[in-house]
């Protein structure tokens, strides 16, 4: 009991120094938590993808499309329950910086395949029946203050022209982490326009989404699809939605690795700061440690006092950092929703935060603990200042 | 009279462990600061060097990159007949009608696929890009299934090396040469005969038309005329501008990320410096009292302690910069969001980044030291001398 009291008293003997160290650790833990969350977000699309959905695209690369006639041939493959198709539209809303994902999709089958996009039955019917109908996510609609019935114009980058849509519905995500910033519209609109303007680009789908009856069949079905079209003019590449998302994520992996490294660097920086504090503290109290030893306290006791003080300071900083992470994440989610539609801190991040704080405390105390434990009484008492 | 500067300097030396710890904290911050600036600079350099000022790229209106663009054969001929196009030796036009598509290739080391740009080139393409040099093998023969690969493709992608074959568009393509384009984006491309590639990809339209201006000043006139021509739905950009636009999102992302990280990190380092300097003041109360009693003014004390903190910052800055300079050996490859293609670029250290980093470290030292220095300067002489 006495030792714990001593540790806590010691920790706050130098109020200013302890306060600054706690602040430093809190900032570091906050930064670490936010960076970890950012990295997690990158992989969010991968985690969200369903195990029973496959994506079929042109084997050469994403910029090549597939004939629409593939739809019926894929549907005949055993194990295929549903099929939908669409195109990445890549339209620009007013200005290039207003980026959001927009697709042309076959409405009925697409909504069946994506039950996580929740629409009211009325909105759903209106979207399916209007050739120029479009649906936007709740967050996207809120950002541009769109209401159902509004006219929205996108400038095509891949499909030239000004495209006008009527917003027929605003979808909600079934889960908190569902992306509510997407925009999709009726594929027929795109196709009819292409037939008129650039006939060679009509009747082409950028990708097929396939729903399989059982997740175990995914590998079998994707092989069957690809072998159906082998040696044709448009060979296909079919993979699970997860693998498809992962292939995008892995292309920007270098940046994510850099952020991960940086999130550890901030911990190291603050480790150095905390080690400095502890080194100074120990140096100032060498005479005290020698006195304690002269009174008969063992090396283990002294070590415990120094070590405990370091842990107390680091853990207070860590606790403050964790508490600050939640309001900070909330602020990012509301203020920067265009970049980070979802910014939620996972329990794992909190554990990692606390672990990092513990490591800071332990590492910072190594040298002072050793110093305090091994100091010879005569040397310690002789030392001044 | 001022306190000699080596008083500040020797104080740092006396308390070595603390000095080393504080300076290394700052060094890490300066390292991150310099590294992010170097990365943004490397990206900018790669994309700016990729274009030349006299060249004009013509792409379809509202397409943001060559990959999205499509220029019909007929439209390409109209552009070809414009008077601004420069003429080379033997009366040949310095103009290339090119095809740009993405293909998926697996990397050598990991086997993970990445998007690579394939460019169908014409006879003038090589000439229009003087920064591109063939370093191994030979140019592809027109009308054959032969390609040449950029140095960074040859190194990093399966089947990209000299003599190897790549399979796409239902054909096998032999790599007959490797070209080096320095630190430009072309190093991450594969080039082949445009007509063969159009055939293989079943794509009857060009992606872009690139040509050299007869006179660099004629760009404005050309742009205006061509964009108002009712036969054409195209947009003309100087090649330098075109590549700058390509990297905009990426360099903005890197800059914002870099600034955000640096601010957070520097807070940590400034706190570290503050702790050190407060302790330095607290340990030397008697000493400061003595100096004051000897007749050194408040100003000299203030300057001495700020100087000590600045030394500390400078030390950290130099160490951080030293290690950051080694980052120049590292090459980063990632996907450029605007073209969806793989792009390799390296950290680039410039003189400007070096002095910015050192200035930044001095600023950190100053902010960390100014409060403790004031505390030291405002100490009462009698109280200071009396304390033990």
């Amino acid at each position: 009991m006495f030792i714990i009291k001593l540790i806590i008293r010691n920790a706050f003997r130098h109020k200013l120094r302890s306060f600054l160290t706690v602040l430093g650790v809190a900032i570091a833990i906050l930064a670490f938590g936010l960076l970890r969350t950012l990295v997690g977000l990158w992989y969010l699309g991968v985690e969200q993808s369903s195990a029973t959905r496959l994506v079929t695209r042109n084997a050469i690369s994403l910029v090549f499309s597939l004939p629409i006639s593939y739809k019926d041939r894929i549907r005949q493959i055993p194990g295929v329950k549903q099929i939908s198709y669409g195109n990445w539209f890549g339209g620009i809303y007013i200005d290039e910086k207003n980026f959001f994902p927009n697709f042309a999709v076959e409405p009925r089958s697409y909504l069946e395949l994506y039950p996580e996009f929740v629409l009211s039955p009325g909105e759903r019917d209106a979207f399916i029946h209007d050739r120029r109908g479009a649906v936007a996510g709740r967050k996207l609609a809120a950002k541009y203050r769109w209401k159902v019935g509004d006219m929205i114009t996108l400038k095509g980058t891949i499909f030239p022209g000004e495209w006008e849509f009527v917003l027929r519905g605003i979808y909600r995500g079934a889960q908190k982490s569902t992306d509510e910033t997407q925009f999709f519209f009726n594929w027929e609109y795109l196709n009819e326009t292409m037939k008129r303007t650039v006939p060679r680009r009509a009747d082409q789908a950028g990708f097929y989404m396939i729903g399989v009856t059982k997740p175990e069949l995914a590998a079998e079905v994707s092989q069957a699809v690809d072998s159906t079209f082998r040696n044709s003019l448009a060979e296909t590449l079919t993979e699970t939605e997860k693998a498809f998302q992962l292939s995008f994520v892995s292309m920007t992996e270098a940046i994510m690795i850099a952020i991960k490294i940086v999130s550890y660097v901030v911990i190291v920086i603050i480790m150095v700061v905390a080690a400095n504090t502890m080194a100074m503290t120990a140096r100032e109290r060498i005479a005290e440690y020698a006195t304690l030893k002269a009174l008969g306290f063992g090396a283990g006791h002294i070590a415990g006092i120094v070590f405990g003080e370091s842990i107390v300071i680091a853990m207070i900083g860590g606790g403050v950092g964790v508490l600050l992470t939640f309001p900070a994440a909330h602020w990012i989610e509301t203020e920067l929703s265009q970049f980070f539609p979802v910014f939620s801190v996972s329990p794992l991040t909190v554990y990692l935060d606390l672990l990092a704080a513990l490591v800071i405390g332990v590492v910072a105390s190594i040298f002072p603990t050793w110093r305090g434990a091994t100091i010879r009484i005569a040397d310690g008492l002789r030392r001044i200042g | 009279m001022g306190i000699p500067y080596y008083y500040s300097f020797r104080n740092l030396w006396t308390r070595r462990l603390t000095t080393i710890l504080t300076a290394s904290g700052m060094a890490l911050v300066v390292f991150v600061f310099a590294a992010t600036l170097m990365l943004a600079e490397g990206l900018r350099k790669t994309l700016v060097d990729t274009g030349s000022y006299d060249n004009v790229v013509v792409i379809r209106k509202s397409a943001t990159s060559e990959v999205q663009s499509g220029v019909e054969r007929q439209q390409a001929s109209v552009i070809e007949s414009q008077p601004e196009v420069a003429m080379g030796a033997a009366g040949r036009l310095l103009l290339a009608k090119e095809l740009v598509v993405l293909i998926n290739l697996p990397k050598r080391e990991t086997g993970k696929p990445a998007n690579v740009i394939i460019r169908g080139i014409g006879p003038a393409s090589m000439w229009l890009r003087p920064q591109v040099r063939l370093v191994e093998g030979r140019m592809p023969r027109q009308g054959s299934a032969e390609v040449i690969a950029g140095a960074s493709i040859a190194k990093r992608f399966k089947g990209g090396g000299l003599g190897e074959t790549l399979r796409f568009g239902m054909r096998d393509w032999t790599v007959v040469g490797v070209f080096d384009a320095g630190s430009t984006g072309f190093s991450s491309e594969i080039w082949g005969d445009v007509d063969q590639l159009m055939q293989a990809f079943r794509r009857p339209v060009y992606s872009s038309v690139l040509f050299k201006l007869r006179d660099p000043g004629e760009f404005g006139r050309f742009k205006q005329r061509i964009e108002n021509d009712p036969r054409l739905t195209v947009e003309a950009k100087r090649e330098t501008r075109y590549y700058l636009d390509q990297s905009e999102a990426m360099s903005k992302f890197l800059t914002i990320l870099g600034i955000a990280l640096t601010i957070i990190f520097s807070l940590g380092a400034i706190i570290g410096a503050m702790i050190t300097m407060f302790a330095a003041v607290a340990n030397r109360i008697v000493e400061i009292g003595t100096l004051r009693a000897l007749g050194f003014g408040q100003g000299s004390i203030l300057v001495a302690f700020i100087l000590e903190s600045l030394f500390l910052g400078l030390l950290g800055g130099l160490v951080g910069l030293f290690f950051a300079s080694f980052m120049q050996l590292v090459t980063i490859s990632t996907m450029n969001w605007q073209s969806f293609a793989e792009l390799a670029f390296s950290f680039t250290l410039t003189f400007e980044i070096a002095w910015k980093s050192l200035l930044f470290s001095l600023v950190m030292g100053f902010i960390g030291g100014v409060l403790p220095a004031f505390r030291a300067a405002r100490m009462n002489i009698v109280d200071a001398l009396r304390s033990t």
Side-chain angles (χ1 to χ4, degrees):
Chain A
M1 211 45 236
F2 159 76
I3 192 160
I4 293 175
K5 207 169 168 186
L6 185 65
I7 286 171
I8 294 180
R9 280 276 168 87
N10 265 340
F12 293 100
R13 244 165 63 180
H14 261 286
K15 284 201 185 57
L16 181 68
R17 186 191 296 166
S18 303
F19 169 73
L20 286 174
T21 314
V22 165
L23 187 67
V25 174
I27 291 173
I29 294 297
L30 176 65
F32 180 74
L34 294 179
L35 288 172
R36 298 296 310 184
T37 309
L38 179 68
V39 173
L41 281 184
W42 215 263
Y43 294 92
L44 191 70
V46 179
E47 277 160 30
Q48 282 301 303
S49 47
S50 148
T52 58
R53 284 197 294 252
L54 304 176
V55 182
T56 299
R57 57 183 163 119
N58 193 304
I60 300 174
S61 78
L62 272 175
V63 298
F64 293 93
S65 53
L66 295 167
I68 199 68
S69 59
Y70 280 18
K71 178 185 67 180
D72 295 322
R73 293 179 64 189
I74 294 173
R75 210 198 304 268
Q76 288 163 6
I77 292 165
V80 175
K81 194 169 80 179
Q82 279 165 320
I83 180 160
S84 184
Y85 50 92
N87 281 82
W88 167 256
F89 183 68
I92 293 169
Y93 180 62
I94 304 172
D95 191 85
E96 225 174 291
K97 56 176 192 286
N98 302 328
F99 174 83
F100 52 84
N102 43 72
F103 305 90
V105 296
E106 200 288 303
R108 193 184 300 268
S109 54
Y110 193 77
L111 288 175
E112 273 170 22
L113 213 47
Y114 281 88
E116 59 261 47
F117 296 150
V118 183
L119 278 173
S120 74
E123 286 177 327
R124 190 188 145 89
D125 284 347
F127 172 47
I128 291 172
H129 293 120
D130 185 354
R131 191 154 283 191
R132 290 166 77 184
V135 165
R138 188 175 56 88
K139 283 189 176 152
L140 183 67
K143 185 180 169 199
Y144 298 111
R145 298 200 179 81
W146 291 338
K147 294 181 302 295
V148 173
D150 280 2
M151 290 286 277
I152 294 160
T153 309
L154 296 187
K155 195 168 88 180
T157 54
I158 303 170
F159 303 95
E162 303 272 324
W163 300 71
E164 288 192 335
F165 307 101
V166 183
L167 194 67
R168 288 299 177 197
I170 293 171
Y171 74 82
R172 290 178 166 276
Q175 281 128 29
K176 192 177 175 288
S177 51
T178 306
D179 186 2
E180 290 181 334
T181 61
Q182 294 188 14
F183 180 93
F184 36 87
F185 62 89
N186 205 321
W187 185 81
E188 279 302 323
Y189 179 29
L190 178 71
N191 201 37
E192 293 296 323
T193 315
M194 281 295 124
K195 270 185 189 159
R196 260 189 295 118
T197 54
V198 197
R200 78 182 159 81
R201 295 181 73 183
D203 290 329
Q204 296 277 325
F207 53 84
Y208 287 95
M209 309 288 313
I210 302 169
V212 292
T213 44
K214 277 184 296 202
E216 304 88 84
L217 288 176
E220 226 169 284
V221 171
S222 43
Q223 257 178 5
V225 173
D226 288 350
S227 60
T228 309
F229 303 109
R230 185 152 301 143
N231 283 325
S232 71
L233 285 183
E235 293 189 340
T236 59
L237 175 67
T238 306
E239 49 197 357
T240 59
E241 199 183 16
K242 193 168 237 152
F244 176 71
Q245 298 272 13
L246 204 60
S247 72
F248 269 93
V249 169
S250 70
M251 285 183 216
T252 48
E253 213 170 24
I255 291 179
M256 281 302 110
I257 290 173
I259 293 182
K260 266 190 201 169
I261 293 173
V262 152
S263 72
Y264 291 113
V265 170
V266 68
I267 294 298
V268 173
I269 290 177
I270 227 65
M271 222 178 247
V272 171
V273 170
N276 189 12
T277 304
M278 288 315 295
M280 283 188 303
T281 308
R283 190 177 41 237
E284 285 164 12
R285 298 193 195 144
I286 283 294
E288 268 171 48
Y289 298 149
T291 315
L292 281 173
K293 270 194 174 172
L295 289 174
F297 287 99
H301 249 97
I302 310 283
I305 291 171
V306 185
F307 183 72
E309 186 180 339
S310 176
I311 297 288
V312 164
I313 290 181
M315 288 317 278
I316 292 175
V320 174
V322 169
L323 288 181
L324 286 177
T325 310
F326 291 96
H330 182 73
W331 181 83
I332 290 173
E333 204 175 64
T334 46
E335 294 296 313
L336 302 173
S337 62
Q338 71 194 94
F339 300 114
F340 310 108
V342 190
F343 204 92
S344 50
V345 184
S346 66
L348 179 70
T349 306
V350 174
Y351 294 136
L352 279 175
D353 275 354
L354 293 176
L355 185 69
L358 190 67
V359 171
I360 290 174
V362 171
V363 172
S365 66
I366 291 174
F367 180 70
T369 304
W370 172 78
R371 190 97 183 273
T374 55
I375 187 86
R376 280 163 58 197
I377 298 175
D379 288 346
L381 287 176
R382 196 185 296 142
R383 219 181 115 103
I384 318 160
Chain B
M1 192 184 118
I3 296 172
Y5 68 90
Y6 52 80
Y7 168 78
S8 310
F9 191 68
R10 287 182 65 170
N11 271 325
L12 289 177
W13 180 246
T14 318
R15 306 170 345 122
R16 268 160 299 205
L17 178 66
T18 296
T19 303
I20 289 170
L21 286 175
T22 315
S24 52
M26 286 193 170
L28 274 171
V29 178
V30 173
F31 176 81
V32 172
F33 179 77
T36 47
L37 285 182
M38 282 162 70
L39 195 61
E41 175 64 25
L43 176 70
R44 203 189 60 81
K45 198 163 171 296
T46 298
L47 283 151
V48 170
D49 284 359
T50 304
S52 21
Y53 186 71
D54 310 350
N55 286 358
V56 177
V57 182
V58 182
I59 52 174
R60 198 196 57 224
K61 196 170 271 172
S62 80
T64 51
S65 69
E66 286 174 298
V67 174
Q68 291 172 344
S69 159
V71 181
E72 304 280 341
R73 281 175 188 275
Q74 203 193 340
Q75 299 195 350
S77 317
V78 174
I79 298 161
E80 202 172 13
S81 64
Q82 300 297 317
E84 283 85 358
V85 180
M87 203 87 83
R92 280 228 303 255
L93 287 175
L94 296 178
L95 173 138
K97 296 178 271 191
E98 299 188 333
L99 172 80
V100 177
V101 294
L102 293 176
I103 63 164
N104 233 289
L105 285 182
K107 288 192 181 172
R108 266 188 213 281
E109 278 167 26
T110 55
K112 278 185 190 165
N115 287 332
V116 172
I117 288 184
I118 290 232
R119 186 181 293 275
I121 57 164
S125 291
M126 205 74 179
W127 202 96
L128 284 165
R129 300 185 178 94
Q131 65 275 54
V132 178
R133 281 182 308 112
L134 198 67
V135 285
E136 264 184 285
R138 56 177 175 81
M139 289 297 288
R141 272 193 299 267
Q142 279 198 335
S144 66
E146 291 175 343
V147 291
I148 51 173
S152 125
I153 296 288
K155 204 163 61 198
R156 292 184 302 121
F157 284 89
K158 272 185 194 152
L162 188 66
E164 293 181 291
T165 58
L166 294 161
R167 185 170 175 82
F168 53 84
M170 293 175 76
R171 279 169 86 173
D172 287 312
W173 304 75
T174 315
V175 180
V176 295
V178 174
F179 62 89
D180 178 31
S183 64
T184 69
F186 296 123
S187 293
S188 311
E189 294 187 357
I190 296 174
W191 290 9
D193 178 23
V194 64
D195 294 316
Q196 289 301 309
L197 289 169
M198 278 165 90
Q199 193 58 245
F201 291 125
R202 269 103 198 153
R203 199 172 237 220
V205 295
Y206 296 111
S207 299
S208 63
V209 178
L210 174 76
F211 70 88
K212 191 181 165 71
L213 283 168
R214 190 175 55 182
D215 167 9
E218 284 181 332
F219 176 70
R221 196 143 49 93
F222 169 78
K223 183 180 169 73
Q224 213 204 347
R225 193 174 64 243
I226 206 146
E227 287 178 5
N228 292 326
D229 192 325
R231 292 171 297 175
L232 305 172
T233 47
V234 296
E235 193 176 352
K237 283 181 182 179
R238 280 195 194 271
E239 205 185 9
T240 40
R241 178 82 237 159
Y242 171 79
Y243 284 104
L244 212 60
D245 288 349
Q246 292 286 293
S247 66
E248 214 186 345
M250 184 80 125
S251 71
K252 201 182 254 172
F253 175 79
L254 289 178
T255 315
I256 291 177
L257 189 70
I259 290 173
L261 291 177
T262 309
I263 289 174
I264 297 174
F265 284 19
S266 58
L267 281 178
I270 287 171
I271 287 174
M274 232 183 233
I275 293 171
T276 306
M277 290 312 295
F278 268 127
V281 173
N283 283 342
R284 272 182 268 156
I285 293 178
V286 182
E287 209 172 299
I288 295 165
T290 316
L291 284 170
R292 288 294 310 282
L294 287 174
F296 289 105
Q298 287 193 329
S300 325
I301 303 279
L302 186 76
V303 169
F305 276 92
I306 289 184
L307 211 57
E308 186 171 332
S309 184
L310 286 178
F311 273 137
L312 201 59
L314 188 65
L315 188 64
L318 287 172
V319 173
L321 202 57
F322 175 74
F323 285 106
S325 66
F326 285 102
M327 291 300 284
Q328 288 185 96
L329 304 173
V330 178
T331 302
I332 292 268
S333 81
T334 186
M335 184 177 72
N336 184 2
W337 294 300
Q338 265 148 320
S339 60
F340 279 109
E342 180 83 1
L343 183 70
F345 53 97
S346 47
F347 291 85
T348 310
L349 184 64
T350 61
F351 182 69
E352 196 190 340
I353 293 175
W355 73 254
K356 268 188 186 164
S357 306
L358 288 181
L359 187 71
F360 177 67
S361 66
L362 286 174
V363 168
M364 279 199 298
F366 182 79
I367 298 177
V370 73
L371 281 180
F374 265 109
R375 172 181 274 197
R378 287 174 48 193
M379 229 169 254
N380 184 304
I381 300 180
V382 181
D383 288 348
L385 284 172
R386 197 182 288 146
S387 78
T388 48

